[in-house]
Amino acid sequence: CAFKLLTIAAAYEEHAVGADSTFFCNGALKVDSETTIKCHKLAGHGQQTLTEALKNSCNVAMMNIAFQLGPDKFYQYFDAFGLLDRTGIDLPGERDTVSSDMHSLESLRKTKSTLATTSFGQRFKVSPIQMLSTVCAIVDDGKLKKPHIVKEILNPDGTVKQMIEPEIKRQVVSAETATYMREAMEKVVSEGTGQNAYVAGFRSGGKTATSELSLPGTPLDKQRYTASFVGVAPMDDPEVAVLIIISDLPYHATHGGGAIAAPVVGRVMNEVLQYLSTEPIYDETETDRRE
């Protein structure tokens, strides 16, 4: 899930993990005496660095990272990234997610399995604008900003009537953490699970997500999934973030975010970056991918 970006950013910021940290995944992790949680790759990812864990979208690594960070610090970043409140976007009807959709600090402290599943974005809900706002803060030097629908309002003659200025709510993580996260997210697209979002000539990054909509124990023919991908570009100076969500997918259909949502993000990015007149820069490895 894209929520793994928050898990890593928070742990990196708190020095619970670093770029040289390593994690071993054998396909599952026993989190308490009664609960074993599987990774999406049942054969396991083996030994991996922090960046590789993000590239692989490894659930086992995320659980271990959350355990090292601890429930109190983890919850602190839920709040810091604005996931416990409305974003304040200038649209009617934004729902308050505080009461029932996010885990309480008490539940994270009480049950290790709750902390474990939260680390990779399962068993709770946030709105798409909350998730996109969090990702933007992570890549924008750690600054959480209030989202707006428009940048400016024009008079009939085309002159500017009102400019909507950026509003920084708070600094959530440091610029150093944001730099690491941008580099790691770029690896997700260039080498990892998000390669289908690749746009030739542009440094793009992102994160895949595949979420279960059904409760554990649901028969396979009734299980439903949501696939999504969040993409950011250009990674050296981010201007655009795109979140594509494809919901209500059956178990037997392709439901991986990297497989079906990432290509859509790639196509959107390709159009938007051209609209912004961002010049593509092709390296030697991209000459056969330009078309």
Side-chain angles (χ1 to χ4, degrees):
C1 178
F3 193 80
K4 292 172 182 174
L5 295 172
L6 182 150
T7 301
I8 292 180
Y12 193 95
E13 179 71 14
E14 294 295 326
H15 304 292
V17 299
D20 56 350
S21 299
T22 58
F23 308 89
F24 182 79
C25 170
N26 65 0
L29 182 67
K30 188 172 184 179
V31 297
D32 55 40
S33 59
E34 299 179 351
T35 309
T36 298
I37 300 175
K38 297 177 181 178
C39 189
H40 67 90
K41 185 177 181 181
L42 299 181
H45 293 105
Q47 195 77 5
Q48 53 195 333
T49 65
L50 182 63
T51 301
E52 288 169 340
L54 184 63
K55 280 168 45 182
N56 296 331
S57 198
C58 178
N59 292 347
V60 169
M62 297 305 134
M63 289 187 277
N64 281 314
I65 290 169
F67 295 157
Q68 289 173 231
L69 181 61
D72 290 69
K73 284 291 184 182
F74 201 17
Y75 190 82
Q76 175 183 316
Y77 281 89
F78 292 177
D79 189 21
F81 277 111
L83 298 181
L84 302 180
D85 203 355
R86 298 177 179 91
T87 64
I89 190 170
D90 36 15
L91 281 173
E94 185 178 20
R95 191 162 59 93
D96 190 347
T97 62
V98 176
S99 58
S100 61
D101 294 331
M102 286 297 293
H103 294 301
S104 66
L105 176 57
E106 290 72 23
S107 66
L108 292 178
R109 287 171 173 170
K110 182 178 179 180
T111 310
K112 199 172 183 182
S113 60
T114 299
L115 178 60
T117 54
T118 302
S119 73
F120 54 86
Q122 297 278 10
R123 307 289 178 252
F124 65 94
K125 295 177 183 178
V126 297
S127 71
I129 194 64
Q130 283 178 313
M131 194 68 253
L132 195 58
S133 181
T134 294
V135 173
C136 287
I138 288 172
V139 300
D140 191 15
D141 288 338
K143 300 180 180 72
L144 181 70
K145 296 178 179 177
K146 180 179 179 179
H148 290 285
I149 297 299
V150 298
K151 180 179 180 180
E152 58 189 22
I153 299 171
L154 304 180
N155 291 307
D157 62 0
T159 58
V160 177
K161 179 179 181 181
Q162 180 183 354
M163 287 288 295
I164 310 300
E165 298 294 339
E167 179 184 331
I168 300 174
K169 291 184 174 182
R170 54 187 164 272
Q171 185 83 31
V172 183
V173 296
S174 65
E176 178 187 0
T177 295
T179 298
Y180 168 75
M181 293 302 298
R182 289 196 299 269
E183 293 171 352
M185 289 170 66
E186 189 172 358
K187 292 286 182 67
V188 171
V189 171
S190 63
E191 304 172 11
T193 57
Q195 293 184 58
N196 285 331
Y198 170 85
V199 180
F202 296 101
R203 291 180 57 187
S204 57
K207 182 68 189 75
T208 57
T210 307
S211 301
E212 299 172 351
L213 297 179
S214 309
L215 293 173
T218 303
L220 291 184
D221 63 337
K222 300 206 180 284
Q223 286 185 8
R224 314 297 286 185
Y225 293 83
T226 292
S228 63
F229 187 86
V230 60
V232 178
M235 292 311 287
D236 52 338
D237 185 17
E239 289 190 69
V240 182
V242 177
L243 174 61
I244 295 291
I245 302 170
I246 304 171
S247 191
D248 201 30
L249 297 160
Y251 174 82
H252 294 291
T254 301
H255 53 259
I260 65 172
V264 185
V265 170
R267 291 196 294 272
V268 172
M269 279 292 188
N270 188 49
E271 296 291 333
V272 171
L273 291 169
Q274 291 184 54
Y275 174 78
L276 293 176
S277 300
T278 305
E279 286 294 324
I281 300 174
Y282 301 100
D283 62 29
E284 293 179 359
T285 65
E286 292 179 311
T287 55
D288 61 339
R289 301 179 71 173
R290 289 181 62 168
E291 296 184 8

